[in-house]
Every structure is written in C-alpha cells, then in structure tokens.
Amino acid sequence: MTPCGRKIDTRGSILEFVAGIRDAIKAHQGLVDISILHRDISEGNIILKDRTTDDNSHGMLVDFDCSVKLKGDVAEDEELFLTGTMKFMALERLENANFLKSTIRRTYRHDLESFFYVLVVGSVEYESVGEGKSQNLDVWCVNETSSCYPHKLALITQLEKLLDMFTASFKGLKELAKNLRTILFKDGTFFATPEDRGSIYRKMIMAFDETIEDIKGKTDL
C-alpha cells in the first residue's frame, strides 16, 4: 500500500521539491543508522506530503522492496548485478557493470548519489512555468551501460553543460547542484565511500537547508 502523498514530479513549488528530497535524505540516514539500505532511490520513491502540527516534513521515502541489511557500509548478501532504477544509478556501479560485466555491492554513498540525480533530473525535466521548455535525460535510463555510463559521466564531470539544461523554474538550484557534486565527487572523479558517513550526510543536508532558506527569501522560485 502506497502512503498518501503526491509524486515529487507533480508541479508543486520548488520549495516542496527541494525540501522533499532533503527530508528523504534524512529518512535514509535514519535507516542506515539501523543498518538498512534502501537501494532504489528514484523520483518514484520520494513522495511529497502535507505538513501537520505533529510532522513538519515535506517528503517521505517509500517502497522498500529492494532494501537490504547493511554490514558496515556495504549491502549484505547482495547479488552483483544492477538493481534499482538505471536513470538514478551511481556511476561507480555503472562503471563496474560496463567494464567488468558485473558490479559492486551497493553502499550508502551510492544511494546518496541517487538523491543527487533526483534533484538533477527534476531540474532538467520538470517545468512549472508555461513559457519554460524542459529537456530530458532519457539516455540515462537505457538498459545498456555502454550508453548510459559515458553520457552520465560526461555530464557530471563537465557540470556546466548539465547546469545549462536546467529549466527556467529550476535555475536557482544550480548552486545546490554544484555543492552536491563537490560533496559526492570531490574533484569530479572520486567515487569512494567515506568511512565517516555522518559527515557526508551533514554536508548534503546543510546544502539543502541553505538552499531552502534562500528560496524562502525569494519570490521568483
């Protein structure tokens, strides 16, 4: 049964979109802290909800069909083939699948990278103003990693090209995308999972919080 809420790709406010992803990351951290890894972070598995006096959050993480137990930072007893939604899949897993024909076990960082892609895909494909024109990143969701991996890698390492694809409504999220790319990839090619997972969660959530405060102070977002 799906919890009550709205899909994150519904044409709500930019604030709801950003806060919904932020809240899903917080929920993800809570699960990782009790050794549960979601493994299928995508636009379809984050829903927007109305805030209440008892719950001030904007977003909720749903669909735990692919979730597994963690052993340390790594998924326990995970088969070495790609699972989840290709469009939002981490580059390190795509890289291994592309060149080695099998992948590596998923870590919490791979899921966090998928949250980054939810933000990016939304900023490119969603549009809430009539005169705006959206594009798509459908090449990221083809089944062949030989097509998906190099295209995604090129746009992440040459981020300005990707940022230029952001639609008019989402252009204010470019700085957030830059900050998240730095947090996740450092120089643009660093895929390793940090041992101090608390640090990467804090940095990502802080980046979202700063953007949310910026949005609240403006009227054109």
Side-chain angles (χ1 to χ4, degrees):
M1 183 171 65
T2 302
C4 294
R6 293 171 285 120
K7 292 182 178 180
I8 201 167
D9 63 351
T10 56
R11 300 305 186 260
S13 69
I14 306 301
L15 175 62
E16 283 184 305
F17 174 72
V18 176
I21 299 173
R22 188 269 320 265
D23 292 339
I25 293 173
K26 288 182 176 181
H28 188 273
Q29 182 179 18
L31 291 168
V32 169
D33 285 344
I34 58 172
S35 299
I36 296 174
L37 188 65
H38 189 281
R39 293 202 313 158
D40 190 16
I41 303 301
S42 67
E43 62 184 357
N45 289 335
I46 301 172
I47 62 172
L48 301 176
K49 53 193 265 322
D50 295 328
R51 292 179 294 168
T52 66
T53 54
D54 297 323
D55 184 358
N56 196 41
S57 60
H58 288 265
M60 180 185 298
L61 190 58
V62 298
D63 190 353
F64 295 89
D65 290 348
C66 292
S67 62
V68 295
K69 289 287 290 182
L70 278 171
K71 186 175 183 179
D73 292 328
V74 181
E76 188 175 23
D77 299 327
E78 182 177 33
E79 297 291 338
L80 297 183
F81 56 84
L82 293 176
T83 58
T85 308
M86 183 76 77
K87 196 170 192 175
F88 304 94
M89 205 165 287
L91 279 168
E92 186 178 28
R93 302 194 79 239
L94 292 173
E95 179 184 53
N96 278 267
N98 186 49
F99 292 112
L100 303 178
K101 306 308 177 186
S102 67
T103 191
I104 56 176
R105 289 184 178 176
R106 197 185 309 254
T107 72
Y108 75 88
R109 188 214 163 278
H110 296 141
D111 274 11
L112 288 179
E113 186 177 333
S114 295
F115 281 112
F116 170 58
Y117 297 137
V118 172
L119 177 90
V120 167
V121 168
S123 298
V124 170
E125 297 188 355
Y126 309 161
E127 183 50 271
S128 59
V129 295
E131 65 273 16
K133 183 178 180 181
S134 62
Q135 302 185 58
N136 69 69
L137 292 168
D138 288 348
V139 70
W140 287 8
C141 56
V142 295
N143 290 327
E144 295 82 11
T145 56
S146 58
S147 297
C148 176
Y149 168 71
H151 190 275
K152 181 180 281 189
L153 179 64
L155 285 178
I156 297 306
T157 53
Q158 302 174 52
L159 190 63
E160 289 301 325
K161 291 184 178 180
L162 181 58
L163 297 180
D164 286 343
M165 298 172 68
F166 279 27
T167 63
S169 296
F170 290 81
K171 63 183 179 181
L173 303 185
K174 289 183 178 182
E175 195 62 32
L176 174 59
K178 289 180 183 179
N179 290 338
L180 294 177
R181 202 283 295 268
T182 299
I183 293 166
L184 288 164
F185 297 103
K186 295 186 178 180
D187 63 356
T189 58
F190 182 81
F191 298 160
T193 297
E195 292 184 9
D196 179 14
R197 64 174 180 246
S199 176
I200 192 170
Y201 277 104
R202 283 192 300 273
K203 290 176 181 177
M204 288 186 69
I205 291 169
M206 184 179 298
F208 274 91
D209 284 342
E210 290 173 353
T211 302
I212 289 167
E213 290 306 310
D214 186 53
I215 291 172
K216 288 178 178 178
K218 296 179 179 179
T219 58
D220 60 344
L221 290 178

